[in-house]
Coordinates of all heavy atoms in Angstrom, one line a residue:
N535 N 8.9 0.8 16.7 CA 9.7 0.3 17.7 C 8.9 0.2 19.0 O 7.8 0.6 19.1 CB 11.0 1.2 18.0 CG 10.6 2.6 18.4 OD1 9.7 2.8 19.2 ND2 11.4 3.6 17.9
P536 N 9.5 -0.5 20.1 CA 8.7 -0.7 21.3 C 8.2 0.6 21.9 O 7.1 0.7 22.5 CB 9.7 -1.4 22.2 CG 10.6 -2.1 21.3 CD 10.8 -1.2 20.1
R537 N 9.0 1.7 21.9 CA 8.5 2.9 22.5 C 7.3 3.5 21.8 O 6.4 4.0 22.4 CB 9.7 4.0 22.5 CG 10.8 3.7 23.4 CD 11.9 4.7 23.4 NE 11.3 6.0 23.8 CZ 12.0 7.2 23.8 NH1 13.3 7.2 23.3 NH2 11.5 8.3 24.2
N538 N 7.3 3.4 20.4 CA 6.1 3.8 19.7 C 4.9 3.0 20.1 O 3.8 3.5 20.3 CB 6.3 3.6 18.2 CG 7.5 4.2 17.5 OD1 8.0 3.7 16.6 ND2 7.9 5.4 18.1
A539 N 5.1 1.7 20.2 CA 3.9 0.8 20.6 C 3.4 1.1 22.0 O 2.2 1.2 22.2 CB 4.4 -0.7 20.5
I540 N 4.3 1.3 22.9 CA 3.9 1.5 24.3 C 3.2 2.9 24.4 O 2.2 3.0 25.1 CB 5.2 1.5 25.2 CG1 5.8 0.1 25.3 CG2 4.8 2.0 26.6 CD1 7.2 0.1 25.9
A541 N 3.7 3.9 23.7 CA 3.0 5.2 23.8 C 1.6 5.1 23.2 O 0.7 5.7 23.7 CB 3.9 6.2 23.0
T542 N 1.5 4.5 22.0 CA 0.2 4.4 21.4 C -0.8 3.6 22.3 O -2.0 3.9 22.4 CB 0.3 3.7 20.0 OG1 1.2 4.5 19.2 CG2 -1.0 3.7 19.3
Y543 N -0.3 2.5 22.8 CA -1.1 1.7 23.8 C -1.6 2.5 24.9 O -2.8 2.5 25.3 CB -0.3 0.5 24.2 CG -0.8 -0.2 25.5 CD1 -2.0 -0.9 25.5 CD2 -0.2 0.0 26.7 CE1 -2.5 -1.5 26.6 CE2 -0.6 -0.6 27.9 CZ -1.8 -1.4 27.8 OH -2.3 -2.0 29.0
A544 N -0.7 3.3 25.5 CA -1.0 4.1 26.7 C -2.0 5.2 26.5 O -2.9 5.4 27.3 CB 0.3 4.6 27.3
M545 N -1.9 5.8 25.3 CA -2.8 7.0 25.1 C -4.1 6.6 24.3 O -4.9 7.5 24.1 CB -2.1 8.0 24.3 CG -1.5 7.6 22.9 SD -2.7 7.5 21.5 CE -3.1 9.2 21.4
S546 N -4.3 5.4 24.0 CA -5.5 5.0 23.3 C -6.4 4.0 24.2 O -6.0 3.7 25.3 CB -5.2 4.2 22.0 OG -4.7 2.9 22.2
G547 N -7.5 3.6 23.6 CA -8.4 2.7 24.3 C -8.1 1.2 24.2 O -8.9 0.4 24.5
M548 N -6.8 0.9 23.8 CA -6.5 -0.5 23.8 C -6.5 -1.1 25.3 O -6.1 -0.4 26.2 CB -5.1 -0.7 23.2 CG -5.1 -1.0 21.8 SD -3.4 -1.2 21.1 CE -2.8 0.5 20.9
D549 N -7.0 -2.3 25.4 CA -7.1 -3.0 26.7 C -5.8 -3.7 27.1 O -5.5 -3.9 28.3 CB -8.2 -4.0 26.7 CG -9.6 -3.3 26.5 OD1 -9.9 -2.4 27.2 OD2 -10.2 -3.7 25.5
A550 N -5.0 -4.1 26.1 CA -3.8 -4.9 26.4 C -2.8 -4.8 25.3 O -3.1 -4.4 24.2 CB -4.2 -6.4 26.6
L551 N -1.6 -5.1 25.6 CA -0.5 -5.1 24.7 C 0.3 -6.3 24.8 O 0.9 -6.6 25.9 CB 0.4 -3.8 24.9 CG 1.7 -3.7 24.1 CD1 1.4 -3.7 22.6 CD2 2.5 -2.5 24.5
A552 N 0.4 -7.1 23.7 CA 1.2 -8.3 23.6 C 2.5 -7.9 22.8 O 2.4 -7.8 21.6 CB 0.5 -9.4 23.0
I553 N 3.6 -7.7 23.5 CA 4.8 -7.2 22.9 C 6.0 -8.1 23.2 O 6.4 -8.2 24.4 CB 5.0 -5.7 23.3 CG1 6.3 -5.2 22.6 CG2 5.0 -5.5 24.8 CD1 6.4 -3.6 22.7
G554 N 6.5 -8.8 22.2 CA 7.5 -9.8 22.5 C 6.9 -10.9 23.4 O 5.7 -11.3 23.1
D555 N 7.6 -11.2 24.4 CA 7.0 -12.2 25.4 C 6.4 -11.5 26.6 O 6.2 -12.2 27.6 CB 8.1 -13.1 25.9 CG 8.6 -14.2 24.8 OD1 7.7 -14.5 24.0 OD2 9.7 -14.6 24.9
F556 N 6.0 -10.3 26.4 CA 5.5 -9.5 27.6 C 4.0 -9.1 27.3 O 3.6 -8.9 26.2 CB 6.3 -8.3 27.8 CG 7.8 -8.5 28.0 CD1 8.7 -8.5 27.0 CD2 8.2 -8.9 29.3 CE1 10.0 -8.7 27.2 CE2 9.6 -9.2 29.5 CZ 10.5 -9.1 28.4
L557 N 3.3 -9.0 28.4 CA 1.9 -8.7 28.3 C 1.6 -7.6 29.3 O 1.9 -7.6 30.5 CB 1.0 -9.9 28.6 CG -0.5 -9.8 28.3 CD1 -0.7 -9.7 26.8 CD2 -1.2 -11.0 28.9
L558 N 0.9 -6.5 28.8 CA 0.4 -5.4 29.6 C -1.1 -5.4 29.5 O -1.7 -5.7 28.5 CB 0.9 -4.1 29.1 CG 2.4 -3.8 29.2 CD1 3.2 -4.5 28.2 CD2 2.7 -2.3 29.0
E559 N -1.8 -5.1 30.6 CA -3.2 -5.1 30.7 C -3.7 -3.9 31.5 O -3.1 -3.5 32.5 CB -3.8 -6.3 31.3 CG -3.6 -7.6 30.6 CD -4.2 -8.8 31.2 OE1 -5.5 -8.8 31.3 OE2 -3.5 -9.7 31.7
K560 N -4.8 -3.2 31.0 CA -5.4 -2.2 31.7 C -6.6 -2.7 32.4 O -7.3 -3.7 31.9 CB -5.9 -1.1 30.7 CG -4.7 -0.4 30.0 CD -5.3 0.6 29.0 CE -4.2 1.2 28.1 NZ -4.7 2.1 27.0
P561 N -7.0 -2.1 33.6 CA -8.2 -2.6 34.2 C -9.4 -2.3 33.4 O -9.4 -1.3 32.6 CB -8.2 -1.8 35.6 CG -7.4 -0.6 35.3 CD -6.3 -1.0 34.3
R562 N -10.5 -3.0 33.6 CA -11.7 -2.7 32.9 C -12.3 -1.4 33.4 O -12.0 -1.0 34.5 CB -12.7 -3.9 33.1 CG -12.4 -5.1 32.3 CD -13.6 -6.1 32.4 NE -13.3 -7.3 31.7 CZ -13.5 -7.5 30.4 NH1 -14.0 -6.5 29.6 NH2 -13.3 -8.7 29.8
A563 N -13.1 -0.8 32.6 CA -13.8 0.4 33.0 C -14.6 0.1 34.3 O -15.2 -0.9 34.4 CB -14.7 0.9 31.9
G564 N -14.5 1.1 35.2 CA -15.2 0.9 36.5 C -14.3 0.3 37.6 O -14.7 0.2 38.7
G565 N -13.1 -0.1 37.1 CA -12.1 -0.5 38.1 C -12.0 -2.0 38.3 O -11.1 -2.4 39.1
S566 N -12.8 -2.8 37.7 CA -12.7 -4.2 37.8 C -11.5 -4.7 37.0 O -11.1 -4.1 36.0 CB -14.0 -4.9 37.4 OG -14.2 -4.6 36.0

Side-chain angles (χ1 to χ4, degrees):
N535 63 39
R537 290 182 64 187
N538 304 151
I540 294 165
T542 302
Y543 161 74
M545 57 79 65
S546 75
M548 269 181 278
D549 298 301
L551 173 61
I553 179 168
D555 286 335
F556 304 96
L557 191 65
L558 293 75
E559 293 182 66
K560 297 175 185 174
R562 287 190 182 275
S566 59

